[in-house]
Amino acid sequence: MTHPANGLDDVVHQRVRLGILTIAQEAVRVEFGFLRATLDLTAGNLSQHLTVLEKAGLVEIEKGYAGKRGRTWIHLTADGRKALDDEIAQLKRLIRRVETTAARPATPPEEAPHPG
Amino acid sequence: MTDESIPSADMAQQVLAATDQLTRRVRQAQRGTWFPLALLGLVVVAAAPFYRLGRHTVTCDPVLGARGGVEIIDRGACIQVVGWPSGVYWILALVLAYAAIAAFYVSRARSRGVGSRVLPYVGSGIAAGLVFGVASAWTPQLKLGGLSPAGPVAIGLIPLVAISLALFVLARVERSWAVLAFAVGYLAVALLAYGIRTGPAWGLPVTWGFLPSLLFAGGVLLLGGAGFGLAERRRA
């Protein structure tokens, strides 16, 4: 069986991108400004991460207006939802695996029962 | 391998904790429980004139009691209760109230930059209001006497039950244990509210006998709205 760490997706696993996907999953759609404030990022940095996620097909970006102000809304795609679910599942597996390993005795039992 | 895995597990735990924290922040930004509770509280209280409109004092023999239809005896007087004024009110009021609730959440999503899945709540609220409202107001005409609790008690009780059932959907939409607890409490209040009988101490005319229960049920919603509003303001 492969180690759970090998199942982590490099696109999704990055801290900011995982944050974007987590927020987008909770909301029907999320505005650029909310993501920037919540994740404490510059607009340029957030744009770069969104471009990576959009190219991977994990989010959709919709530009529009609210009155005269331009707004950018981000939706999670079905692939994005699956990728996030897989990532969380892999992280949980990883934790379980280490806990199981840590719970195992470090040395074998001292002596096998003597026959007869 | 184990030595390499331990920091990875720490990292995984930190990542999961961070995602949980983000999830909580988004949910807090999405919540607006105070508005539906306050609005529906006002809708319940505003139903009073329509209940009064459907109640008339009629001539009958208090000893023999009420007979047929929806005539009831209250403190020696017979009152004929007609369901349709309150039925029409509830249908229109609930549809308009849930439309306002949907508009509130859409406007909030625009201003806060985070959407929420409020449509299941709005849909279930309107559906429950329509189905139960029609069924309770026109029970005799629809020949539902054997299927649903009939008579004036049902006319008042069922809209409140419909509101409290939709609150369970709101608790799911907002993923809030506090809203779930309120929904359970309000269902109990809705069922108990119509146990309140108007005694002489209230000093109300018999045709206004429904008023204490209506004020009690609406007041609980208004208080709930105020409580959730204060809690939301404190978190902001």
Side-chain angles (χ1 to χ4, degrees), chain B:
Chain B
M1 188 67 195
T2 309
D3 288 344
E4 284 173 10
S5 300
I6 288 167
S8 295
D10 284 347
M11 177 273 297
Q13 270 167 340
Q14 282 172 12
V15 169
L16 288 178
T19 56
D20 283 348
Q21 202 180 357
L22 281 175
T23 300
R24 277 198 297 275
R25 284 183 70 176
V26 175
R27 288 179 183 178
Q28 277 178 7
Q30 287 173 318
R31 284 175 191 155
T33 322
W34 69 271
F35 184 79
L37 294 186
L39 182 63
L40 291 169
L42 291 174
V43 165
V44 171
V45 173
F50 298 90
Y51 280 97
R52 174 63 191 87
L53 200 64
R55 286 167 188 245
H56 312 280
T57 309
V58 291
T59 308
C60 70
D61 184 347
V63 179
L64 293 173
R67 290 178 187 176
V70 282
E71 286 182 358
I72 57 170
I73 286 189
D74 193 350
R75 281 179 283 152
C78 279
I79 310 160
Q80 187 180 31
V81 180
V82 181
W84 71 263
S86 54
V88 168
Y89 169 78
W90 279 115
I91 289 165
L92 291 176
L94 287 178
V95 169
L96 291 175
Y98 283 108
I101 290 166
F104 167 80
Y105 276 97
V106 168
S107 146
R108 200 177 173 87
R110 282 192 188 140
S111 65
R112 292 198 168 180
V114 60
S116 60
R117 297 173 180 84
V118 74
L119 276 182
Y121 171 58
V122 169
S124 60
I126 289 177
L130 287 179
V131 171
F132 291 144
V134 169
S136 62
W138 288 281
T139 297
Q141 289 87 343
L142 294 170
K143 297 184 172 42
L144 295 173
L147 299 174
S148 69
V153 172
I155 292 166
L157 173 67
I158 282 181
L160 299 182
V161 171
I163 288 172
S164 67
L165 290 181
L167 281 177
F168 284 96
V169 182
L170 183 65
R172 177 77 188 93
V173 164
E174 297 209 340
R175 283 158 290 196
S176 164
W177 290 105
V179 181
L180 179 65
F182 187 84
V184 171
Y186 193 70
L187 183 58
V189 164
L191 295 172
L192 290 172
Y194 277 80
I196 302 174
R197 307 312 305 162
T198 312
W202 290 89
L204 289 168
V206 287
T207 44
W208 283 93
F210 60 87
L211 196 59
S213 55
L214 208 60
L215 290 179
F216 178 61
V220 170
L221 279 176
L222 287 169
L223 281 176
F228 277 100
L230 282 174
E232 198 180 298
R233 204 166 172 177
R234 201 172 294 166
R235 275 195 302 267

Side-chain angles (χ1 to χ4, degrees), chain A residues 22-39:
Chain A
T22 302
I23 294 170
Q25 189 187 37
E26 282 302 311
V28 178
R29 60 181 197 157
V30 59
E31 211 259 320
F32 187 90
F34 183 87
L35 281 176
R36 195 159 67 90
T38 309
L39 296 170

